[in-house]
Amino acid sequence: MNKLKNRWLIAASAVGIHLSIGSVYAWSVYTKPLIAQLGWGLKETQFTFSLAIFFLGMSAAFLGSYVEKLGPKKSGRLAALFFGAGIAGSGLAVYAHSLWGLYLSYGMIGGIGLGLGYITPITSLVKWFPDKKGLATGLAIMGFGFAALISSPLIVYLIDHTSIPVTFFIMGGSYFVVILAASSYIAPPPEGYGGPAKTKEITGMTAKEAIRTKKFWYLWVMFFLNISCGIAIISAASPMAQESAGLSAEAAAAMVGLMGIFNGGGRIGWSAASDWLGRPKTFITFLCIAIASFLILPSVHNPILFQLMIFVIVSCYGAGFSTTTAYVSDLFGTKELGAIVGYMLTAWAAAGMAGPLFAAIARSASSSYNGTLYCFSVLLVVALVFSVLLKRLVNKG
């Protein structure tokens, strides 16, 4: 009989994977060096990030069922291969001065690695922690939110002391090793495992059954709108802080760095709270806080208070990621959890494209960021309506 694995070490392995793939949030530190060295435009360079998020969602959707059949160890190895090769290949693209090569390597190949690496650990964690679903998923996804705090200064250091291509080579190789090592310990729990105190059969809907329900699409809309508004505020945070609160460029940059802490903290804090508060109430609570923050922010000009409001918004943005996975498990079970989570992540793919675009359109249509913030609050009100409707469906059974 095989010895039962330590579920907390599996959680630590999941954090390792997400700390690696979450480095995608550090993309902005590549932007200026790429523009300065290769003469590419800001929009063309930033599109690399949007493309990576798009392929994250699409690969998670189309490969979710495959990940379930393959198992976390093998799918983790694939994630290491695709993500490591995508980042390292970006170095070759930069060396060849090929923007399309960058799109292919970082955006497409790396994006597929992102999707595989994202769903591989969290679907296993939910099964290992049926008694603490929110905490478990929050731990892993917290790593995704915190990743930029670790990778950003390292990338900046490497670019300053080597070159952009060499930086991509080193980071790609490092990510490959970390993901490969972390995924080697991850495994599904034994049949009948239900936590430290009880046993439980793995039951629930199939992915095809889940996506035919109102519950799935209500949650999809909530997830999409929360991410769209969050990504939009993150993409505009620095210039907004300088324009609305009078922060210097350096202070605004420091604020952006601190946002990573609240992004990661929101993921673990809100998801852990959802274990005792319940997923429906948790979603409604942080959406209400986010709506109030967006409505108040236009009238806030004090630099400290402005930053605090931004941090609250970012924590609610992070909350959506970790709480949604546990919510999916509550609604549809763990029978085909990886596939269902994969389909849910198409909302992230869509939001990765729509959020920054919406922010740019709303900003250009008004004379300040105030109109943009009010538009975000309206979108979150729509998300809140769907959240209440979903809660009613859950209460009906």
Side-chain angles (χ1 to χ4, degrees):
M1 182 175 179
N2 293 330
K3 183 180 178 181
L4 186 67
K5 290 198 172 190
N6 187 315
R7 64 178 186 165
W8 292 103
L9 288 180
I10 289 179
S13 299
V15 172
I17 294 175
H18 273 241
L19 279 172
S20 297
I21 63 174
S23 62
V24 69
Y25 275 158
W27 171 254
S28 61
V29 301
Y30 286 112
T31 304
K32 285 188 177 180
L34 286 171
I35 293 173
Q37 181 174 320
L38 303 177
W40 295 337
L42 177 60
K43 290 182 179 179
E44 291 79 8
T45 308
Q46 286 288 66
F47 182 70
T48 310
F49 171 79
S50 296
L51 198 61
I53 297 300
F54 176 79
F55 272 95
L56 183 160
M58 290 297 101
S59 62
F62 287 103
L63 298 176
S65 298
Y66 182 68
V67 167
E68 285 283 349
K69 295 177 183 178
L70 200 60
K73 195 182 299 292
K74 291 182 179 179
S75 62
R77 290 171 182 169
L78 279 177
L81 179 62
F82 273 91
F83 192 67
I87 304 304
S90 300
L92 293 175
V94 173
Y95 185 79
H97 291 212
S98 173
L99 181 60
W100 285 101
L102 187 64
Y103 291 162
L104 173 65
S105 55
Y106 196 100
M108 183 176 177
I109 298 174
I112 292 173
L114 278 170
L116 288 169
Y118 192 92
I119 61 178
T120 290
I122 60 174
T123 54
S124 295
L125 276 180
V126 169
K127 297 172 185 177
W128 275 103
F129 289 82
D131 53 328
K132 297 181 177 69
K133 294 178 183 178
L135 174 63
T137 56
L139 280 171
I141 299 174
M142 171 192 68
F144 201 100
F146 280 146
L149 291 175
I150 300 172
S151 56
S152 292
L154 181 57
I155 292 169
V156 170
Y157 176 85
L158 288 172
I159 291 175
D160 289 342
H161 290 80
T162 57
S163 65
I164 300 175
V166 171
T167 299
F168 277 123
F169 295 150
I170 293 174
M171 298 306 293
S174 301
Y175 298 144
F176 174 79
V177 171
V178 172
I179 297 173
L180 190 65
S183 62
S184 67
Y185 190 79
I186 296 178
E191 187 176 351
Y193 179 84
K198 58 184 182 297
T199 59
K200 178 182 178 182
E201 294 297 324
I202 295 177
T203 59
M205 292 185 181
T206 65
K208 289 183 179 179
E209 290 170 340
I211 62 174
R212 294 193 185 108
T213 66
K214 288 183 179 179
K215 292 179 181 178
F216 177 90
W217 290 108
Y218 285 2
L219 185 56
W220 192 98
V221 171
M222 292 153 53
F223 193 37
F224 168 74
L225 291 175
N226 188 61
I227 297 173
S228 295
C229 294
I231 287 179
I233 201 72
I234 288 172
S235 67
S238 179
M240 185 185 302
Q242 295 176 58
E243 180 180 311
S244 301
L247 268 68
S248 65
E250 292 75 15
M255 181 195 75
V256 172
L258 288 173
M259 284 165 58
I261 297 176
F262 288 89
N263 188 353
R267 293 168 191 242
I268 182 63
W270 282 106
S271 59
S274 74
D275 283 332
W276 56 268
L277 187 61
R279 251 63 76 175
K281 289 182 180 178
T282 301
F283 244 103
I284 289 172
T285 301
F286 72 68
L287 284 174
C288 286
I289 292 173
I291 291 167
S293 300
F294 273 113
L295 289 173
I296 295 170
L297 195 58
S299 61
V300 175
H301 302 291
N302 179 276
I304 296 176
L305 186 56
F306 182 90
Q307 291 180 79
L308 289 176
M309 297 295 294
I310 290 290
F311 295 153
V312 169
I313 290 172
V314 171
S315 75
C316 293
Y317 163 73
F321 285 95
S322 53
T323 309
T324 295
T325 302
Y327 211 158
V328 168
S329 177
D330 292 345
L331 294 174
F332 308 113
T334 57
K335 184 178 182 180
E336 292 189 4
L337 182 61
I340 300 171
V341 170
Y343 288 134
M344 187 60 64
L345 290 180
T346 58
W348 193 1
M353 292 289 187
L357 179 62
F358 177 78
I361 293 174
R363 175 65 179 87
S364 62
S366 60
S367 58
S368 69
Y369 282 104
N370 292 355
T372 307
L373 295 170
Y374 291 136
C375 288
F376 292 160
S377 65
V378 171
L379 291 176
L380 289 176
V381 167
V382 175
L384 179 62
V385 170
F386 276 93
S387 184
V388 172
L389 291 174
L390 180 56
K391 184 176 184 296
R392 290 180 179 178
L393 284 178
V394 170
N395 291 339
K396 289 180 180 179

